[in-house]
Amino acid sequence: MSVAEVISKRRSCRAYNEDPVSREDIEKVLHAARLAPSACNQQPWRFAVVTDSQQRTEIIEHGFRVGIKMEWALGAPVLIVLGMKRSLIVHRAAVKVSKIDYPWMDIGIAGEHLVLQAEEMGLGTCWIGWVKPRRLRSILGWPKDIYPAAVITLGWPENPDDPPKARPRKDLDDIVTWLPSQ
Ligand SMILES: Cc1cc2nc3c(=O)[nH]c(=O)nc-3n(C[C@H](O)[C@H](O)[C@H](O)COP(=O)(O)O)c2cc1C
């Protein structure tokens, strides 16, 4: 599949079958994340891979916020927690000067690399941002300097031949400014 095909085929997958994802496949998606670009090459991303069923349940029941239906995530055989570790000097200094908090961009890019690699392999994913970072951190045993920012579910889609409908996107006209104007 071309990159364009992978991008256009990807959907948030919220229904998985029970097949486990091999360690090799998990490492492949993590390698794709690792290759992401980052401001000053600081690579602030950190990952926790959770396959144990009890620990996944604990994350979903206690590390997710209420208000959005998230029971479907119990069916995902792998949860990847995406964390952010700021560098003391580069990140703190850069944001003061530029007023742009680069690590958030960096970890978003890494997460989407992971998602697109998974898509190419036929694996389903869904970003989950409705999380409780401090609770996640204590469940994972991560130190204070790693901030859990999101979870990505990973697994084999229950209905690969009947993927979720494409959700609408804004038109280019609504999101692009051309210079000179067209
Ligand atoms: C940063 C981020 C956070 C998200 N958080 C959640 C979430 O907490 N729960 C959920 O079910 N979907 C979540 N999503 C998935 C979005 O709802 C989904 O990407 C969007 O509706 C577009 O649909 P599509 O991914 O199928 O194209 C999140 C996506 C992103 C990128």
Side-chain angles (χ1 to χ4, degrees):
M1 269 197 286
S2 69
V3 174
E5 284 169 324
V6 172
I7 290 170
S8 68
K9 249 191 91 209
R10 186 214 58 80
R11 304 275 183 276
S12 288
C13 175
R14 297 185 179 87
Y16 299 92
N17 70 30
E18 285 178 3
D19 295 344
V21 183
S22 70
R23 167 107 185 193
E24 198 188 354
D25 284 344
I26 297 173
E27 285 186 352
K28 192 166 177 181
V29 301
L30 291 167
H31 274 295
R34 191 184 146 255
L35 294 179
S38 59
C40 296
N41 201 24
Q42 291 295 296
Q43 304 165 59
W45 41 75
R46 297 293 183 272
F47 304 94
V49 179
V50 187
T51 54
D52 176 76
S53 152
Q54 265 189 345
Q55 288 172 315
R56 283 188 281 118
T57 304
E58 194 182 356
I59 286 177
I60 291 160
E61 288 182 352
H62 303 293
F64 288 5
R65 291 187 186 280
V66 293
I68 299 183
K69 265 200 154 199
M70 228 77 94
E71 291 76 23
W72 60 265
L74 291 165
V78 185
L79 299 181
I80 298 180
V81 184
L82 175 56
M84 177 169 73
K85 182 172 176 170
R86 290 174 184 280
S87 68
L88 285 181
I89 299 171
V90 176
H91 288 143
R92 298 224 168 137
V95 70
K96 283 204 173 116
V97 177
S98 69
K99 312 286 182 237
I100 297 170
D101 201 14
Y102 300 106
W104 285 106
M105 290 191 211
D106 299 337
I107 66 167
I109 297 167
E112 196 57 11
H113 267 211
L114 184 157
V115 160
L116 294 177
Q117 177 60 63
E119 179 65 39
E120 194 218 45
M121 295 158 68
L123 281 160
T125 57
C126 185
W127 280 86
I128 295 176
W130 199 237
V131 296
K132 297 178 181 167
R134 276 185 291 183
R135 199 68 195 270
L136 278 180
R137 185 196 278 137
S138 88
I139 294 171
L140 298 172
W142 267 354
K144 272 197 159 167
D145 61 354
I146 306 182
Y147 188 82
V151 172
I152 298 175
T153 57
L154 180 74
W156 301 104
E158 189 174 42
N159 305 306
D161 300 328
D162 183 20
K165 269 202 196 128
R167 303 223 48 218
R169 293 298 194 264
K170 294 177 180 166
D171 291 330
L172 280 191
D173 285 347
D174 298 326
I175 57 174
V176 181
T177 306
W178 292 89
L179 297 168
S181 57
Q182 309 278 305

